[in-house]
Amino acid sequence: MFSKYKLVKSLAAAAIVLVSQSGFAADDKLIDGAYGEFATGTKIQMLRAGVTSDWDQRWFQSNGTHFSGYWDASVGAWRGTSYQNMPGAKQYMMDVGFTPVFRFQRDDKKGFYAEAGIGVHYLSKLYDNDDNRLSTHFQFGDHVGIGYVFDNKWELGLKIQHFSNGGYKKPNSGVNFVNLKASYHF
């Protein structure tokens, strides 16, 4: 069983790795940002940390705005609160993901933005939380979101995220989250 102590220890290790990469990122620009997220769904919560790498592309540039995007690599910890239809029973699991994300934003990359992405995720355990069940470790994770990038490169965002295996194995009820994200761009 994945204890709370191991969960905190794993998230702390992920945060240390992300912070240690910032020096490397500043020189080579392989990594352009790091973020943390808190997400909640029906009888489930998630904490996630990740790094991003901008595509440095601009499509449909007009009137000070454009479409662009970034790569998103993340690790997350899930906590379900009603494991196998037993209220109060907890389920802990890890999630590793990689997502290409498209973003509509201002040319200076500050202010409001809208984004959408779909990527792949690997879950450490099969998810079973009351009526929401995922029968495979491999999942697709898609999201739509909005946010604001401040002048000092900090960003706050809100997104809706859905996990599902795309219907290739049943049961596949999917899991939905509302995510609050804080990011820093190097």
Side-chain angles (χ1 to χ4, degrees):
M1 182 172 197
F2 200 74
S3 70
K4 288 182 183 179
Y5 175 74
K6 287 181 182 176
L7 174 65
V8 170
K9 190 175 167 182
S10 297
L11 289 173
I16 290 168
V17 169
L18 293 175
V19 170
S20 71
Q21 294 299 316
S22 65
F24 172 74
D27 295 335
D28 295 42
K29 292 304 264 184
L30 177 63
I31 299 172
D32 297 302
Y35 69 89
E37 279 184 344
F38 171 75
T40 187
T42 303
K43 300 180 184 177
I44 189 157
Q45 294 85 38
M46 176 177 49
L47 291 175
R48 178 186 291 148
V51 293
T52 60
S53 180
D54 286 338
W55 294 345
D56 291 326
Q57 295 287 333
R58 293 183 181 206
W59 299 289
F60 306 106
Q61 193 168 3
S62 176
N63 297 324
T65 61
H66 67 276
F67 278 96
S68 187
Y70 61 91
W71 300 111
D72 179 338
S74 65
V75 62
W78 297 27
R79 183 184 73 147
T81 59
S82 186
Y83 181 58
Q84 293 183 336
N85 293 320
M86 296 184 302
K90 306 281 191 271
Q91 180 182 20
Y92 297 95
M93 55 202 290
M94 300 299 290
D95 157 30
V96 176
F98 184 76
T99 305
V101 180
F102 291 91
R103 182 178 275 195
F104 179 73
Q105 61 193 357
R106 289 180 16 183
D107 286 344
D108 63 5
K109 297 186 178 183
K110 296 176 184 172
F112 287 102
Y113 68 83
E115 68 178 28
I118 183 166
V120 294
H121 292 262
Y122 181 82
L123 304 180
S124 63
K125 295 181 183 177
L126 299 181
Y127 178 70
D128 184 358
N129 195 357
D130 285 346
D131 295 330
N132 291 336
R133 295 177 62 204
L134 301 174
S135 59
T136 59
H137 292 279
F138 174 78
Q139 298 290 314
F140 295 104
D142 54 80
H143 78 268
V144 294
I146 58 170
Y148 190 87
V149 180
F150 297 91
D151 285 339
N152 61 1
K153 298 188 177 186
W154 280 100
E155 170 187 324
L156 289 177
L158 184 67
K159 66 184 181 183
I160 297 171
Q161 186 164 28
H162 175 76
F163 287 89
S164 169
N165 67 21
Y168 68 86
K169 186 174 180 186
K170 303 289 183 195
N172 180 42
S173 59
V175 177
N176 297 313
F177 288 101
V178 175
N179 305 33
L180 180 62
K181 175 180 175 181
S183 301
Y184 185 77
H185 300 274
F186 306 117

